[in-house]
Amino acid sequence: MFELSSSPSNTPPLPSSPSNHLCLYFSMEPKLHLFFSALCFYLVSAYGNTLRTYIVQLHPHGVTSSSFPTKFLWHLSFLDQTLSSEEDSSSRLLYSYGSAMEGFAALLTETEIELLRGLPDVVAVRPDQLLQLQTTYSYKFLGLSSTTDGAWVKSGFGRGTIIGVLDTGVWPESPSFADQGMPPVPKRWRGMCQEGQNFKATSCNRKLIGARFFIKGHHVSSVPPSENMVDEYISPRDSSGHGTHTSSTAGGVSVPMASVLGNGAGVARGMAPGAHIAVYKVCWFNGCYSSDILAAIDVAIVDRVDVLSLSLGGFPLPLFDDSIAIGSFRAVEHGISVICAAGNNGPIQSSVANIAPWIATIGASTLDRKFPAIVRMGNGEYVYGESLLPGKSLPIAEKELELVYVTGGNSGSEFCFRGSLPKEKVKGKMVVCDRGVNGRAEKGVAVKEAGGAAMILANTEINLEEDSVDAHVLPATEIGYAEAVRLKTYMDTSSHPRARIVFGGTVIGTSRAPEVAQFSARGPNLYDSTILKPDVIAPGVNIIAAWPQNLGPTGLPEDTRRVNFTVMSGTSMACPHVSGIAALIHSAHPGWTPAAIKSAIMTSADASDHRGKPIMDGSKPAAVFAIGAGHVNPNRAIDPGLIYDIKPDEYVIHLCTLGYTRSEIFTITHRNVSCSEKLKMNRGFSLNYPSISVAFKHGVKSKMITRRLTNVGNPNSVYSVQVKPPEGVKVRVKPRRLIFKHINQSLSYRIWVISRKKTQTKKISYAEGQLTWMNAHNSFHRVRSPISVTWK
């Protein structure tokens, strides 16, 4: 996942957590250093390899809790009963949770875990999990404008809404977080600006209203950072740039004359420039631990944020093992919209993460903005590439040079690993480097260190034509796989291959967009075939947003340049676009539930690109498993006409229909239910989800689904249904007209999905269509749901 989203230069994957617990040594204040060193020495010397962080979930109304004056002491009592009498149990406790779930995180051995599982009121015990991190123009691409009657004007630019961002922290001095013209901090805000290394309480303002950091889970579970990494701040301050980038994308203020070294110039703005931002730093140099994430969600609920943005995740998990799913359910119960990245493991099938139906899961798409840097080969032919380097400003940038592609041996020279390129072979030449394994911009550093004058970064079969750009440390361009084959063919057939790079600056509007980013994770949903994931896609390729002043635009320690903005790609970048749009909708409709906001985003999404043609996924039209309901359209989402609302109790019934056990449902929802009774009272139940997904198992030929629409548009509205059935399927809808007499009135309809396909083959097959409710008097209100059908 780091290949596309952890840094603008796609630095290589950071080390994963080992089973033993080694000390971390950061650049920090002397008192903090002394504290963490002492804690680390104690943990390592006393417990060696036997300890690991576990999250212990307790019954929220446990019978033993009444014996203790506070929840904290109650949580501590479980450790008292588990550890030896000589040991101070508080030394093992990392977090005490009360909002995202009832329970705590602690350092425990496997033997102690077995004892703990047998205690009354213990619901579940899960090992800590390591998760990974997954604009000057994108707001224009999405149609947001301050001069038309669209989402910005109708929502007051997100005024009064609080977006909570769980990420790597924030660089508060960035101009994107200035508070000029911002309204006062909302009176309901309960958060704080936590001081720490190079971060004071005065770092917050009316834009950045809160900042906290959560490091305990990371600290006891991580290996030391390598020497060539940027120093980490033990505070909310961002040392890697990812959190600054995502926060400013969601809610950054207007910054004129923003660019990356002169490219992509324009006014930088977040999706909700009038919203307030609260930052929760949960990700550190090697990723994000679920114990820290859960602690941040726990605090954010109490702080009273309106939207939670999580550009992080992993591979899909069962909901009862997924700390984000569990914590976000409690957030949604409190009226908080939770927006998560779908993950960067595309185009692998069923790779989509953050699959809980109460989460909005966001895939990534492209913009129609390009940064051409074309290679003119010695034979006079051209190879298309892209780069953010402002080549015109460098005398050597467009000079014709000898081409070299170093292969052979086991040094990894074809990937341009550092130290793998012989200086005598590359000095003064243009070096071709295959993409993959190490970071894109890091390859440029390797070429520069070996004396190379320029670089061509060549995509392989894995990356195909994907065009994530970088502000390289030397003249460079990235070319697609087909172009790489042409270039290498020329080199193989020429005795003296030469080339020059022609830099073309920034070009807008000449390419088809949006298209699906190749890296964007795909469905179908691995654990729930009735819920289509991802929900929507949003801009996530070559997104320009705010950047810390401690880093160069590549994010590499060797990059001494300094910028206020840089470019990044990933579903990490797509997620805050939708978080900002959710904030706009919340500001315009403060009484709407998270499900209503999510429905508005999904049913208003576009299935066509800006030219009115199908959104593409590579060389073929995009399937629903790539785009979900479609590409976000904020101006239509702010006024959807109808919404599919869902109450938290309905999610519980849905879990019953999936066959979850009583204890599993309790783990997820903190609700003790009898599924047999729930299903008896709700025969034929189907979750009121904005998309429609049906799975036919062997022998099943038809399914009936119920949906409920609520009028949030005009009174006396009439809607008629239009259906484009999936191939091999007949779809019947009853009634075919819905007549809403007043606002907030709800009406239900039924859908019969009838298979006409023979299912003799053992192979799984898919088909898709759509169902749209059209307003009879207002063509603006088109409430569209994708239909996905699977034969198992």
Side-chain angles (χ1 to χ4, degrees), residues 464-663:
L464 294 176
E465 309 312 312
E466 183 210 310
D467 56 354
S468 299
V469 302
D470 300 286
H472 290 283
V473 297
L474 80 172
T477 186
E478 179 179 348
I479 61 176
Y481 176 60
E483 300 288 64
V485 171
R486 287 184 57 220
L487 176 72
K488 290 174 182 177
T489 299
Y490 160 68
M491 295 178 69
D492 289 341
T493 56
S494 173
S495 57
H496 299 288
R498 299 179 68 82
R500 62 189 288 254
I501 302 173
V502 182
F503 294 91
T506 305
V507 177
I508 291 174
T510 60
S511 57
R512 284 187 66 171
E515 294 184 347
V516 179
Q518 193 205 2
F519 59 77
S520 186
R522 307 300 208 273
N525 188 327
L526 189 61
Y527 291 102
D528 184 356
S529 60
T530 66
I531 299 297
L532 179 63
K533 292 285 182 174
D535 290 306
V536 291
I537 57 173
V541 177
N542 300 335
I543 303 301
I544 294 174
W547 196 241
Q549 279 288 301
N550 67 320
L551 296 171
T554 62
L556 296 172
E558 298 82 5
D559 191 351
T560 58
R561 300 169 296 176
R562 292 296 178 260
V563 293
N564 281 322
F565 297 88
T566 200
V567 66
M568 296 182 79
S569 295
T571 54
S572 278
M573 284 64 253
C575 171
H577 278 85
V578 179
S579 301
I581 293 167
L584 297 179
I585 299 171
H586 183 274
S587 294
H589 309 284
W592 283 14
T593 65
I597 292 172
K598 180 177 170 182
S599 172
I601 292 169
M602 291 175 65
T603 61
S604 63
D606 295 326
S608 302
D609 64 19
H610 282 195
R611 297 180 182 179
K613 297 179 179 180
I615 293 172
M616 298 299 287
D617 182 4
S619 60
K620 62 185 185 300
V624 291
F625 295 141
I627 65 173
H631 192 269
V632 288
N633 185 330
N635 289 327
R636 290 191 59 230
I638 204 84
D639 182 15
L642 305 174
I643 52 106
Y644 293 92
D645 206 358
I646 304 174
K647 299 174 183 175
D649 282 344
E650 295 176 84
Y651 292 121
V652 177
I653 302 170
H654 176 69
L655 296 177
C656 285
T657 67
L658 298 178
Y660 277 66
T661 67
R662 190 178 195 137
S663 63

Side-chain angles (χ1 to χ4, degrees), residues 301 327-338 358-359 594-595 648 651:
I301 292 171
S328 64
F329 183 85
R330 300 299 294 277
V332 167
E333 280 189 308
H334 284 82
I336 301 168
S337 293
V338 181
W358 46 88
I359 289 174
Y651 292 121

Side-chain angles (χ1 to χ4, degrees), residues 712-784:
V712 294
N714 302 317
N716 300 313
S717 294
V718 179
Y719 286 81
S720 299
V721 72
Q722 293 182 0
V723 178
K724 181 182 177 183
E727 186 178 347
V729 168
K730 180 181 179 181
V731 178
R732 288 173 47 214
V733 180
K734 190 174 182 180
R736 296 189 65 83
R737 292 177 79 224
L738 296 175
I739 303 172
F740 295 92
K741 295 183 178 179
H742 51 82
I743 298 173
N744 294 326
Q745 179 184 359
S746 295
L747 295 174
S748 296
Y749 66 95
R750 291 182 177 183
I751 314 157
W752 285 266
V753 183
I754 304 158
S755 174
R756 292 175 167 176
K757 188 171 182 177
K758 294 180 180 179
T759 54
Q760 295 174 343
T761 177
K762 292 183 179 180
K763 188 178 180 182
I764 297 175
S765 59
Y766 307 96
E768 61 185 65
Q770 62 183 34
L771 180 153
T772 308
W773 289 97
M774 305 288 294
N775 190 306
H777 307 295
N778 176 0
S779 61
F780 182 79
H781 289 150
R782 304 184 306 276
V783 185
R784 189 180 66 85

Side-chain angles (χ1 to χ4, degrees), residues 59 298 687:
H59 196 295
D298 202 61
L687 187 66

Side-chain angles (χ1 to χ4, degrees), residues 362-391:
I362 315 303
S365 64
T366 64
L367 300 171
D368 62 354
R369 177 178 61 187
K370 300 291 184 182
F371 305 97
I374 298 168
V375 179
R376 187 183 188 277
M377 297 183 290
N379 61 3
E381 295 183 7
Y382 291 88
V383 170
Y384 181 79
E386 292 194 50
S387 177
L388 261 186
L389 189 83

Side-chain angles (χ1 to χ4, degrees), residues 437-460:
V437 189
N438 55 336
R440 297 190 304 265
E442 188 181 341
K443 297 172 189 291
V445 172
V447 171
K448 189 175 182 179
E449 287 176 343
M455 176 181 73
I456 299 175
L457 184 58
N459 277 8
T460 65

